[in-house]
Amino acid sequence: MDAAAMKDEVARAALAHIEPGMRLGIGTGSTAEAFIRVLAPKVREGMRIVGVPTSERTAKLCAELGVPLATLEDLPELDLTIDGADEVDPRLRLVKGGGGALLREKIVAAASSRMLVIADRSKKVEHLGAFPLPIEVNGFGLLSTTLAIERAGAMLGLAGPIQLRMAGDKPFITDGGHLVIDASFGLIPDPEALSAALHAIPGVVEHGLFLGLATSVLLAGRDGIERLGAA
């Protein structure tokens, strides 16, 4: 089973967690898009749900496939968010933001009673940090913010390349109009301490450590679906 097939399998497994009338947060990325593609036929068959998208890209695909949408202003409290992840550890702590939508993804997840993460088994790690940590930052004072991120990492014994994410020859811009710094810190022994240190930097808008948000995880592998956390 190739990666695309595993994404389709875990997306179909996520449907079992959807109930009629749900207010759904709908994530961003290739696995979330696989979920949208299996959700849309159920909607056409009469399943009543309303989705809140975590990115313009997600909103566009939902609109194309007929998945009804609202905003967080319309629905400030959600029943369930379904989203992917770049890494997940045994305590259901996540690294997210590879697609650049981490701020909206975190806001939507925090507004939800539950967060179901869907991914392939390669995203399961013992310790976070193999994937560069995305950090969404304000464009004003970029160099000062970058240096502050380096110092915050160094205080926790973390070091490695810290790079501004590019889109071709121009900086990548998030849906919120911010920039993204990818910090290759390597192994992160204390994600909570790093989260607090990054949040203390004024130029940091948000970071890709999702702590205490995921309530369950479905991981697709060649031998089926592995479940972590609550049902």
Side-chain angles (χ1 to χ4, degrees):
M1 184 183 299
D2 62 16
M6 284 191 282
K7 289 175 183 177
D8 289 342
E9 181 181 19
V10 77
R12 287 191 294 271
L15 285 177
H17 296 256
I18 307 303
E19 299 175 5
M22 268 190 165
R23 301 161 296 176
L24 288 178
I26 303 178
T28 296
S30 58
T31 309
E33 288 178 5
F35 170 71
I36 296 167
R37 294 185 186 281
V38 299
L39 175 64
K42 298 296 183 182
V43 170
R44 289 194 293 271
E45 293 167 7
M47 177 183 282
R48 296 181 300 103
I49 60 93
V50 179
V52 172
T54 57
S55 67
E56 299 301 325
R57 174 177 167 178
T58 292
K60 183 174 183 292
L61 181 60
C62 287
E64 290 173 353
L65 298 180
V67 175
L69 296 179
T71 69
L72 271 184
E73 283 67 37
D74 301 319
L75 300 174
E77 295 180 330
L78 305 177
D79 300 302
L80 175 67
T81 283
I82 295 182
D83 204 348
D86 299 304
E87 290 186 330
V88 54
D89 77 2
R91 292 170 57 182
L92 307 192
R93 298 178 296 189
L94 315 173
V95 168
K96 288 178 52 56
L102 65 98
L103 175 60
R104 294 190 183 186
E105 287 175 333
K106 191 173 282 190
I107 291 171
V108 169
S112 302
S113 297
R114 295 181 291 132
M115 181 186 188
L116 172 63
V117 175
I118 55 175
D120 65 78
R121 204 165 293 167
S122 69
K123 305 300 172 61
K124 182 183 178 183
V125 297
E126 283 301 310
H127 303 283
L128 302 179
F131 191 90
L133 177 64
I135 304 170
E136 191 161 339
V137 300
N138 197 295
F140 179 81
L142 176 61
L143 180 55
S144 295
T145 300
T146 302
L147 293 173
I149 291 170
E150 289 179 348
R151 288 193 295 269
M155 289 179 62
L156 295 170
L158 304 173
I162 296 177
Q163 299 177 325
L164 179 66
R165 186 179 298 185
M166 303 296 290
D169 60 354
K170 296 181 180 180
F172 174 86
I173 305 294
T174 70
D175 286 345
H178 304 123
L179 305 174
V180 174
I181 290 173
D182 291 308
S184 298
F185 286 136
L187 174 66
I188 302 173
D190 191 341
E192 287 77 13
L194 179 57
S195 172
L198 293 174
H199 276 145
I201 299 170
V204 170
V205 178
E206 192 49 87
H207 58 70
L209 290 168
F210 281 51
L211 310 176
L213 290 171
T215 52
S216 54
V217 178
L218 299 178
L219 298 169
R222 299 186 186 280
D223 55 350
I225 300 292
E226 178 181 1
R227 290 170 172 80
L228 304 177

